[in-house]
Amino acid sequence: MTPFRPTYWNIHPVWAFYLLAGIALAIFGAGLASRISLWLRGTRSRVPSFPKEALKKLLLDALLGRRIFRGDAAAGTMHLLISWGFLGLFLGTLLLSADYWFEGFLQGRVYLCYAVFMEIFGLMFTAGILWAQARRYLQRVPRLERRLEDLIIPLWLIAVSLSGFLLESSRLAAQDPAWATWSFFGYIFAPLWHDGQKALHAYLFLWWGHAVLSLGLIAYIPYSKLFHLLSAPAAIYLSNRAVHILPAEVLQEGHRPYSLDSRIFLDACTRCGRCTEVCPAALAGEPFSPRDFILWARQNISADRPLPIGEAGLKTDFTEERIWHCTTCRACLEVCPIYVPTPDTLLEARSWSVENGGGMPPLLGRSLKTLYKYNNPWEATKKKRAAWAGDRNIPDISKGEEVPLCYFVGCTTAMDSRARSLACSLADVLAHADISFGTLGKKEPCCGDIARRAGEAGLFEMKMEDCMELFMRWGVTDIVTSSPHCFHTMKNDYAAFKVRPGDGETAFRVRHYSQLLDEILQKGALAFTRSLDLRVTFHDPCYLGRYNRVFDAPRKVIQAIPGVKLLEMPHTMENSLCCGGGGGRMWQEELDGNPKMSEIRIQEAAETGAEVLVTACPLCLIMLEDARKTAGLEDRLRVMDLNELVVLALGLKNATEGVK
């Protein structure tokens, strides 16, 4: 006899099953429509794009779980078992339905292969769910929560899986087909039913029980964390789209605080806790975690309609004031399996808070007023902007002097006493390498970074326009910056600010100075004359490394210096620990946290055995220099900017200027 599987065997009435299926799908559809309406409400639509790179990312991260494996192979394997087991069972059910409604094709060897694969997928799914529960409740992985929904959903899934195997075993016992052993796992339990009649009664009960459990689960998906089955692939796909900045005029019109993309990202979060595990604010004991922010933001969006059932009882003590703790370092995004860009979404929350009179930290508010009035957030004066140069004869582009390269010094590098050494050192290195460059002198505006990170959209627009106007007026097309923040703002934020067609197009090239030093080095324009005999470690600034993937350039420069041995810290490159100065934190009052983020980082540097901690950002330089003193490491460790190290290696006269 040809192997096959009869569909709806002894099931009456079949229409009752379709009625239940229709009800389940209607409930599912209503939940899905509610979710999508929350995504679309109050947002401005964006032109859909379908890049090939996004499809590749979707395959690697949604189907293969590439990012879940990072740093936790057990979690990746567990998730792969669940996802591929579920997908296999789902496709198998569709094939069975197609076999019933259309020409039967699940017969003979095709059916036997089908039976084997369904057993394998069922076992994968069950093993994955059981493993997940073992990790949560037996191994008790610290980052995993243990809420009621975290228990109910897995138990439900296990009930669906086990009832499916028991259903299969009762069918095999009642039918006793010659090919029963091909359904190898179900066949093991067939003897439980003793005889065909008992097996038939059990089969009828189990069939309807399995159907109700499965259809109920489908209906429940949009109302629970299982919705990530749909939203996570959407989030992964959208992660390939460039960030767009909401203009102040849109926020003033009453635009809701989160963009369409952000709402989808928020809905895709499964609260796995990886973000909180690496968040520098959370590590420092501050009352902030990306996971709590996401829940708070989600509940804000759903404020005027019921939350999903699984979140209805989920409480958070997160408040609006805590959004200012974030350093926007993107450590959370680096580890998120589905690319939830929490810092970008948090900036939208800040913008909304600012436009609606929210509680910005007082010192940050005063710094923004200083920025508005005096074109820098540091001092109530415009006269000191070019004072850092001292008696150096640096061409002033704003006075009509023509040079091919514009050195954009930046507010912190120009105004802070410690950071000025960075500018002096870079100017001396460029002069030594015979690189023709100039600055905008006293006319140099702020790039707008602090306003952007603080959510002050209107002030950011103003500073961006000031910069663009000066660049166009003086024909500036090639820029090098001191700060990774200026570099990122000009390179990415300006391009992201597209309010009207044609806006945001940057007609200039911008580089961070470490990239320029690397280029000069490769061309042979730098010849280090001294062997320093130093052990150094390098701190990757967040806006240089994680934001712009510039990891190699500063290391190449360091490793080219004779006698220097580079020692890497445990947290390096994309896993670097934030110093705590980004996201507007440099211009805020001291926040709760013991130890401070910068102290955690400086201790890690000291533990490498390095004599010098090198960085490539003025904010990092200031934060780590202060931490060196408060941590009592003044006699063990020096903090230097990369330019200062290069000046030292070149044997230039100001080699020790500003370095203590």
Side-chain angles (χ1 to χ4, degrees), residues 61 65 87 102-103 143 221 245 284 298 325 364 406 445 513 519 559 606 616:
D61 293 314
L87 182 61
F102 305 102
E103 183 177 353
R143 63 180 172 83
I221 285 174
I245 299 173
R298 221 147 139 189
H325 283 260
L364 179 59
C406 173
Y513 78 76
E519 291 175 18
Q559 291 170 329

Side-chain angles (χ1 to χ4, degrees), residues 35 149 153 220-228 308-310:
R35 292 270 194 168
E149 189 188 31
I153 290 179
Y220 185 55
I221 285 174
Y223 307 93
S224 70
K225 66 189 298 183
L226 287 174
F227 187 64
H228 85 280
I309 295 171

Side-chain angles (χ1 to χ4, degrees), residues 585-596:
R585 289 286 299 258
M586 177 63 74
W587 296 273
Q588 291 188 41
E589 296 83 353
E590 287 290 333
L591 297 174
D592 296 335
N594 188 21
K596 298 175 184 177

Side-chain angles (χ1 to χ4, degrees), residues 61 65-73 75-76 79 135 143-144 236 239 268-280 282-283 289-291 294 329-343 546-547 549 551 570-577:
D61 293 314
R66 174 181 58 176
R67 281 171 68 93
I68 302 178
F69 279 92
R70 289 186 182 178
D72 195 341
H79 189 271
R135 283 170 54 81
R143 63 180 172 83
L144 298 177
I236 291 170
S239 67
C269 174
T270 60
R271 300 182 61 78
C272 71
R274 293 187 182 215
C275 54
T276 298
E277 199 172 42
V278 299
C279 175
L283 290 173
S289 85
R291 179 167 62 186
I294 289 171
C329 71
R330 276 194 181 175
C332 52
L333 175 58
E334 198 67 41
V335 299
C336 179
I338 52 176
Y339 299 93
V340 175
T342 305
R546 273 191 288 267
Y547 272 82
R549 319 313 286 184
F551 299 119
H571 294 92
T572 187
M573 296 190 178
E574 64 269 17
N575 297 316
S576 176
L577 285 178

Side-chain angles (χ1 to χ4, degrees), residues 5 7-9 11 14 17 163 167 170 202-212:
R5 175 177 171 178
T7 308
Y8 299 120
W9 180 65
I11 299 301
V14 174
F17 170 76
S163 66
L167 170 63
S170 64
Y203 170 78
L204 296 174
F205 173 78
L206 288 168
W207 195 96
W208 284 107
H210 181 70
V212 170

Side-chain angles (χ1 to χ4, degrees), residues 54-122:
L55 293 174
K56 178 182 176 182
K57 185 182 287 187
L58 188 64
L59 171 65
L60 293 173
D61 293 314
L63 293 181
L64 300 181
R66 174 181 58 176
R67 281 171 68 93
I68 302 178
F69 279 92
R70 289 186 182 178
D72 195 341
T77 306
M78 175 268 295
H79 189 271
L80 208 63
L81 288 172
I82 295 174
S83 58
W84 276 87
F86 177 85
L87 182 61
L89 292 173
F90 177 72
L91 293 177
T93 303
L94 292 182
L95 287 174
L96 193 63
S97 299
D99 177 76
Y100 176 78
W101 284 104
F102 305 102
E103 183 177 353
F105 54 87
L106 292 179
Q107 298 180 19
R109 291 184 178 179
V110 174
Y111 172 73
L112 296 179
C113 290
Y114 170 84
V116 170
F117 277 107
M118 288 297 280
E119 296 295 290
I120 293 172
F121 287 132

Side-chain angles (χ1 to χ4, degrees), residues 513 536-541 554 558 569 612-616 624 638-643 645:
Y513 78 76
V536 309
T537 189
F538 181 71
H539 166 75
D540 290 273
I558 292 172
M569 289 181 269
V612 178
L613 170 59
V614 178
T615 188
L624 294 172
R638 281 189 293 170
V639 177
M640 298 178 69
D641 181 76
L642 178 60
N643 285 305
L645 184 67

Side-chain angles (χ1 to χ4, degrees), residues 349-364:
R350 286 183 178 179
S351 294
W352 179 256
S353 177
V354 169
E355 290 297 331
N356 288 272
M360 179 184 291
L363 180 57
L364 179 59

